[in-house]
Amino acid sequence: MEQTQKKPRVFSGIQPTGSFTLGNYVGAVRNWPALQDAYDCIYSVVDLHAITVRQNPADLRRQSREAAAMLLATGIRPDKSIIFIQSHVPAHTQLSWVLGCFCPFGDLTRMHQFKEKSKKHPEDINGGLLTYPVLMAADILLYATDLVPIGIDQKQHLELARNIAQRFNGLYGDTFVVPDGYFPTVGAKVMSLQEPDKKMSKSDANANAVVHMLDEPDTILRKFKRAITDSEGTVRAGADKPGVTNLMSIYSVMTGKTFEEIQREFDGQGYGVFKEAVAGSVIDTFRPIQAEYRRLLADRAYLDGVLADGGAAAARLASRMLSKVYRKVGFVAPDALAH
Ligand code: TRP
């Protein structure tokens, strides 16, 4: 008998908070289009997560469309994958409530990101900041996700999602797929160009530390020229050379060259030539993405159509899992009411 092979499911999300950085691109987003053929992919603009820190409403609304346009511009194809805005599918928040009841408080308070964000926003340590990873678990578990492509900084959150899934399955029988992470081997974490022992972050106060995907070519060039290196003058990777190593891994991701090839390429050439080459590789990668991004944003009807279709498709899938979970925990099904 013929059997249609079901592709494994991929889910990932990105927050619509400000512009995407080179770090977002290298650590996460660039891997997403490549997964579309072998997997059934769902990509979400996670606006619910964004409001765990204060957002300007008009900016958030604009940035949600911009984030979707950027994902499409990097090569996510709506005819292959589902792309949608998280708040359009209420099942995320509904499942999040249930999962929260299966997540120990202590697991949430020890999350690195919670601790960091609490320190950064001491005036607003809200409940959403604490339960952020439960909502992320709901995002993932709703779609029976097998694989979650994420930056290494989200590994602890994924681990929490796995724990919740296992705990729930243990109590109620097989319900959730226990997801695996998918981490890039090179460039999983792009470091600040100014303090290369710190992650590149869009909120960095030093504008030269972070490259944005929408930066103009001469801005990108300037930032790389100013990147902190060391006094050795040799292009090689090593724990003692975080700045140069960071530039090498960026160049490696952009060109596909290995560290050995890069070391050979710049043998005896000093950092000036090397930095210009790194900048050039980033500029060449971002140029077509930027053009497509602008084209998409100018075509609001198309963009909104993609998001409406994506939201409807995601909602159909999500409601099946939510009903199953509601039934397992013992909620009365609304269609079971005798009336
Ligand atoms: N927390 C992720 C981040 O900041 C974004 C995210 C939300 C996500 N839900 C997700 C990533 C589900 C993967 C899967 O990067």
Side-chain angles (χ1 to χ4, degrees), residues 6-12 39-42 82 84 91-92 95 99 136-149 158 161-162 165 169 174-180 313-322 324-325:
K6 213 174 144 268
K7 289 183 192 170
R9 166 90 66 216
V10 159
F11 184 98
S12 199
Y39 298 91
D40 257 330
C41 299
I42 306 180
I82 293 176
F84 76 105
H92 289 248
L95 182 62
L99 298 184
M136 180 163 159
D139 297 342
I140 296 166
L141 300 181
L142 255 186
Y143 300 99
T145 301
D146 299 288
L147 208 59
V148 187
L158 181 67
R162 289 170 53 88
N169 288 350
D174 251 4
T175 310
F176 296 122
V177 172
V178 181
D180 286 311
R316 273 194 297 279
L317 294 169
S319 74
R320 271 188 255 153
M321 180 64 89
L322 186 70
K324 188 159 135 188
V325 170

